Amino acid sequence: STATVKGVKKGTATIVATVKNADETVADKLVSFQVTVNAKITELTKTNANISVEYGTTKANAISGLTGGWTATYEGGTTESYTIEKWDCANYNPKAPGEYVFTATVDNYTGTAPQATVTVKQGVIKSYETVNRTVPVGTSESVALATLPTEIKATLVGDATETFRVT
C-alpha cells in the first residue's frame, strides 16, 4: 500500500503507521519510519568553478577538483555548502592540452546543469631517460647515429610519462 505525507519540511520526520493483518485486523505492533525530506535546490553557485590540471591528469582526478565549494540555495531561500559528485565530459583527453567543459548531474535540482571548464596544461618535461652509446674511435658519424634510439621516454610535470620520437 502507499501513503501520502503532506506538510513535511526539509529535514527528517518520523512517521508512525498502524499495520493491519491480511484479515484487516490491527496487528499488535506499530511501525515507525524515518524519512528524510530534501527541498528542491533552486540554485547552485561557486565563485570560480573552472580549474587547470597538469598534462596527463586522469578524468577522475580532474573531477575531484570540481566537486567541492558549491553553495546550494533551496526553495524557501535557505543555503548550505554542497558537493557535486557527478560530472562528465565525453571528449576529455588528459594528453591533449586545451579546455574541456564538464557538465554536472544534480538530483533534486530545478535549474540549468552546472558547468565548469577544466584546462589541461601543456606537458612540460621534468626529466628524460639518459642514453649513452660508446662507439670505437674512427666510427663514421652515420654509423654512430644509427646506434642511437629512435624514441626516448620522458617524465612530465604531474608525473605523466610520454615517449617522444627522436629525429
Side-chain angles (χ1 to χ4, degrees):
S1 66
T2 60
T4 302
V5 179
K6 294 182 179 180
V8 179
K9 297 193 184 315
K10 182 179 179 250
T12 303
T14 301
I15 301 170
V16 179
T18 302
V19 179
K20 292 186 179 182
N21 297 317
D23 64 359
E24 293 296 314
T25 59
V26 176
D28 340 345
K29 296 182 180 177
L30 293 179
V31 177
S32 70
F33 302 90
Q34 287 276 324
V35 178
T36 301
V37 179
N38 292 318
K40 286 189 178 183
I41 299 169
T42 58
E43 184 178 25
L44 284 162
T45 56
K46 185 173 184 177
T47 303
N48 187 4
N50 303 328
I51 62 169
S52 293
V53 297
E54 297 298 336
Y55 180 93
T57 299
T58 65
K59 189 180 208 180
N61 284 344
I63 288 171
S64 72
L66 301 176
T67 60
W70 291 84
T71 299
T73 303
Y74 294 91
E75 288 177 331
T78 60
T79 61
E80 68 181 10
S81 295
Y82 195 81
T83 299
I84 300 175
E85 299 291 341
K86 299 176 194 171
W87 290 90
D88 195 31
C89 177
N91 68 336
Y92 180 74
N93 184 344
K95 293 187 176 185
E99 293 184 345
Y100 298 90
V101 177
F102 280 70
T103 302
T105 301
V106 181
D107 296 332
N108 208 26
Y109 179 52
T110 58
T112 303
Q115 292 188 325
T117 300
V118 173
T119 302
V120 175
K121 297 177 187 176
Q122 183 70 40
V124 176
I125 296 174
K126 178 167 71 172
S127 63
Y128 53 87
E129 69 179 318
T130 303
V131 177
N132 292 311
R133 297 289 189 269
T134 302
V135 293
V137 173
T139 302
S140 71
E141 181 179 350
S142 62
V143 170
L145 288 174
T147 68
L148 296 175
T150 58
E151 293 181 336
I152 191 168
K153 289 184 182 176
T155 301
L156 308 176
V157 172
D159 294 327
T161 57
E162 286 290 323
T163 300
F164 293 94
R165 187 167 173 256
V166 177
T167 56

